[in-house]
Amino acid sequence: MRVALKTATRLLVAHPVSNLSVRGFSFSQSLKLTPTVVLPLHSHRPAKTLVRIATPSFRSCGCAPMSTVQVRDRIDISDTERSIFDRLLATLRHFHLQTQLRVAGGWVRDKLLGKECYDIDIALDNMMGTEFVDKVREYLLSIGEDAQGVCVIESNPDQSKHLETARMRLFDMWIDFVNLRSEEYTENSRIPSKQRIGTAEEDAYRRDLTINSLFYNINTDSVEDFTKRGILDLKSGKIVTPLPPKATFLDDPLRVLRAIRFGARFEFTLDEDLKVAASCDDVKDALAAKISRERIGTEIDLMISGNQPVKAMTYIYDLTLFRIVFSLSPEFEPAISDGCERLCISCLDTAWNLVQLLGESTFTAEQKRLALYAALFLPLRNTTYREKKAKTVPVVNHIIRESLKRKAKDAEVVLNLHQASHKFLSLFPCLTSGKDDQVVGHDWMGDLVDVPVYSRVRVLTGFLLRELKDFWRVALLISTILHPIDIEDEPSQLDIRRDLFNTVENAITKLGLERIWDVKQLINGKDVMNTLGLKGGGPLVKESLDKAMAWQLAHPSGTAEDCVEWLRETNSKRVKLQ
């Protein structure tokens, strides 16, 4: 979704959330548990076992090809994974256990997509995870090996941990063990009301998506597709729920956001019935009522930090979930007008594309994450609401801290980036032209009478960078998005914005300010008091320190003695004028 950013540069206040509806779709899907499809593998168990998968063709199943997702016909099991699986199988033999060991979910999916995965979850069909881990530990000790990091993670439904999980470390990899399960939900809670050890088929159908319902059976060296469509959906690049989507989402509305996250991550297509269910009022109400804000915030953070944040936010917009996820305070001002959601995503899209053009190494992962949040909420930066104590608070602060329950530090950084953007914009003319007399709109800083004209740009920029520290390039990115450009063609806009960023960045480097916040101030408060003959601190000391820092920025080769002498002379002039 792309909107000309020319509009974005003119809008410094929030714009409203539009209420879209999804029409023209209907769905009907009944629950039908079918016999498992076990895909036999031919393996001689070498050091690296290759798992062969027999999958139906599109023609034979009556489906038209929908995508060209590259799905491997074999799972390449690493030496470490083989060693882990061999120890687990040896435990079964040692204790004469009939337990079936299955690797569940994401590991199977990622392996079939040719991606590395270090998250191995073992599902057990006839015992609890703690029971089996005790057996593994006992076996390892019997053969002279250490059992490392054995622990139990208690169930915590509020954090999506519905069952107790046992964990241990094998060959430097953490392995989780949990029993297969069957669940029933009550109407007003995402916490299962009934749980029991279930069959592999029941466990597969209670999962969020078909692509996450696959198992790798360690005992038989086979991939099991109990829904009979997990591999097909993986090949066709579709996000589908094993059971009817509305029932699946009403049971656990968090699955809506997980479907969006996986759809964006793998660039898969959301199933039409899934989209209808996700955007219906019942599911949106359930998402707002049953899911904690912490869990919503965690999913959004994973999307923003992922490889397709714009696609994820676009899905949220298209499914009319934007205002459910990013809920606002009941009363805010100024009024939010139509187009806010679209404009938010447009700013995010521009920021994301600029990051790609500038190169991933320009920003750390944390800087990029907060830059994308700042861009997403840029159209809301002047919108405020009143707290109970009648204190005016930026609505962006409310979204990050209350709607998403992110860290207070995240909100603080984003707000600082928004506030710093107009300061950077006022410096653009002189930083791009190299002329100090181009400085305009610098009312955000105090009196510059004592600063030579030729040094004003260095002083202003230096103070701004000392405020922003490592995030100055992020603030520059946000300011670049806001800078007006009179070109309608978006690709050309991106190139111009990239060149503008590079020009300003190079100018700052030439001024020697790249890490100016690491430069120690030449004089301190004690020096100021001694020079001015003051007996204590106060506003005058703070004011004098700021002026001394401005002098230091204007005279990068100056010494502490020079600064003290300048301060003494300046104070003498002030006293005479009084």
Side-chain angles (χ1 to χ4, degrees), residues 62-126:
C63 299
M66 288 170 284
S67 80
T68 56
V69 176
Q70 296 299 312
V71 178
R72 291 189 173 187
D73 291 330
R74 303 178 177 187
I75 288 181
D76 186 359
I77 298 177
S78 69
D79 292 338
T80 299
E81 291 164 342
R82 173 49 57 200
S83 297
I84 292 170
F85 297 161
D86 283 344
R87 292 299 186 276
L88 300 181
L89 292 173
T91 300
L92 296 182
R93 292 192 296 269
H94 182 78
F95 291 102
H96 307 290
L97 301 175
Q98 300 303 311
T99 305
Q100 293 290 306
L101 304 175
R102 294 177 170 90
V103 186
W107 183 88
V108 186
R109 177 201 66 225
D110 288 352
K111 284 285 187 175
L112 291 175
L113 291 173
K115 303 176 183 294
E116 286 302 316
C117 184
Y118 303 100
D119 185 14
I120 299 179
D121 297 326
I122 305 293
L124 311 165
D125 68 337
N126 63 359

Side-chain angles (χ1 to χ4, degrees), residues 256-258 260-261 264 296 298-310 312-313 316 372:
V256 174
L257 298 183
R258 286 177 58 82
I260 290 172
R261 176 160 63 86
I296 290 176
T298 297
E299 288 295 325
I300 296 301
D301 213 53
L302 289 169
M303 295 178 200
I304 289 291
S305 303
N307 63 327
Q308 292 291 336
V310 180
M313 294 305 110
I316 287 175
L372 295 179

Side-chain angles (χ1 to χ4, degrees), residues 44 181 305 348 556:
H44 299 291
R181 61 191 186 269
S305 303
L348 175 67

Side-chain angles (χ1 to χ4, degrees), residues 309-521:
V310 180
K311 191 175 186 68
M313 294 305 110
T314 301
Y315 275 145
I316 287 175
Y317 168 75
D318 289 342
L319 297 175
T320 66
L321 297 171
F322 203 90
R323 72 165 103 190
I324 300 295
V325 171
F326 305 110
S327 62
L328 300 179
S329 179
E331 296 182 5
F332 47 85
E333 56 183 22
I336 296 179
S337 52
D338 291 337
C340 178
E341 296 168 325
R342 191 181 292 269
L343 188 58
C344 286
I345 295 173
S346 176
C347 291
L348 175 67
D349 184 39
T350 300
W352 176 251
N353 285 318
L354 278 174
V355 169
Q356 307 310 306
L357 282 175
L358 293 168
E360 289 288 336
S361 61
T362 305
F363 308 98
T364 66
E366 180 70 353
Q367 289 169 351
K368 183 170 70 173
R369 180 180 74 90
L370 292 172
L372 295 179
Y373 272 124
L376 179 64
F377 300 135
L378 195 56
L380 294 167
R381 66 178 185 154
N382 290 336
T383 305
T384 62
Y385 73 100
R386 292 190 178 276
E387 288 185 328
K388 294 180 180 179
K389 296 181 180 180
K391 180 182 178 182
T392 300
V393 180
V395 78
V396 173
N397 182 75
H398 177 87
I399 293 173
I400 295 175
R401 298 196 62 179
E402 302 301 329
S403 300
L404 302 179
K405 292 293 183 182
R406 298 295 88 194
K407 297 178 295 185
K409 185 65 175 178
D410 287 357
E412 179 185 339
V413 171
V414 170
L415 291 176
N416 285 342
L417 291 171
H418 286 173
Q419 291 166 5
S421 61
H422 79 278
K423 298 179 183 179
F424 243 132
L425 282 172
S426 72
L427 295 174
F428 276 15
C430 55
L431 288 172
T432 54
S433 67
K435 297 179 180 179
D436 292 81
D437 58 1
Q438 295 292 317
V439 179
V440 293
H442 60 270
D443 56 330
W444 46 271
M445 189 174 167
D447 187 11
L448 290 177
V449 172
D450 295 327
V451 176
V453 173
Y454 62 83
S455 297
R456 288 187 177 182
V457 62
R458 191 174 196 278
V459 173
L460 288 166
T461 307
F463 268 99
L464 180 56
L465 266 59
R466 286 176 68 86
E467 174 189 333
L468 292 166
K469 297 183 173 61
D470 284 313
F471 276 82
W472 72 265
R473 284 187 174 85
V474 181
L476 173 57
L477 178 79
I478 299 302
S479 303
T480 304
I481 295 172
L482 286 174
H483 192 270
I485 294 176
D486 294 325
I487 295 179
E488 297 293 340
D489 182 55
E490 190 166 353
S492 297
Q493 279 197 31
L494 287 171
D495 289 339
I496 292 172
R497 294 183 194 282
R498 176 199 58 196
D499 294 342
L500 177 60
F501 181 99
N502 288 332
T503 299
V504 174
E505 181 187 38
N506 290 335
I508 289 171
T509 301
K510 288 179 180 178
L511 289 171
L513 298 173
E514 191 170 7
R515 294 195 64 84
I516 190 61
W517 59 92
D518 288 335
V519 176
K520 185 178 179 180
Q521 188 156 356

Side-chain angles (χ1 to χ4, degrees), residues 186-358:
T186 57
E187 181 178 352
N188 296 317
S189 175
R190 66 179 292 266
I191 301 174
S193 57
K194 293 182 180 180
Q195 290 186 117
R196 60 177 173 80
I197 294 180
T199 65
E201 184 176 9
E202 288 174 327
D203 191 282
Y205 272 96
R206 64 98 196 158
R207 291 182 178 267
D208 52 2
L209 304 171
T210 56
I211 63 171
N212 294 336
S213 68
L214 299 167
F215 293 106
Y216 165 62
N217 190 312
I218 298 174
N219 302 58
T220 60
D221 278 344
S222 62
V223 171
E224 299 171 329
D225 185 357
F226 289 93
T227 67
K228 294 186 68 175
R229 61 174 302 166
I231 293 172
L232 183 62
D233 289 334
L234 202 60
K235 282 183 171 290
S236 60
K238 290 194 67 176
I239 298 296
V240 184
T241 56
L243 298 178
K246 186 173 182 180
T248 296
F249 294 153
L250 289 177
D251 279 346
D252 185 354
L254 188 66
R255 291 168 176 165
V256 174
L257 298 183
R258 286 177 58 82
I260 290 172
R261 176 160 63 86
F262 284 114
R265 174 183 170 185
F266 296 116
E267 298 188 72
F268 283 6
T269 302
L270 300 185
D271 177 70
E272 294 298 339
D273 288 347
L274 181 150
K275 291 194 290 185
V276 173
S279 59
C280 77
D281 289 340
D282 289 344
V283 170
K284 288 192 287 189
D285 291 344
L287 179 61
K290 293 173 67 173
I291 305 301
S292 71
R293 282 289 149 185
E294 289 86 353
R295 291 302 299 142
I296 290 176
T298 297
E299 288 295 325
I300 296 301
D301 213 53
L302 289 169
M303 295 178 200
I304 289 291
S305 303
N307 63 327
Q308 292 291 336
V310 180
K311 191 175 186 68
M313 294 305 110
T314 301
Y315 275 145
I316 287 175
Y317 168 75
D318 289 342
L319 297 175
T320 66
L321 297 171
F322 203 90
R323 72 165 103 190
I324 300 295
V325 171
F326 305 110
S327 62
L328 300 179
S329 179
E331 296 182 5
F332 47 85
E333 56 183 22
I336 296 179
S337 52
D338 291 337
C340 178
E341 296 168 325
R342 191 181 292 269
L343 188 58
C344 286
I345 295 173
S346 176
C347 291
L348 175 67
D349 184 39
T350 300
W352 176 251
N353 285 318
L354 278 174
V355 169
Q356 307 310 306
L357 282 175
L358 293 168

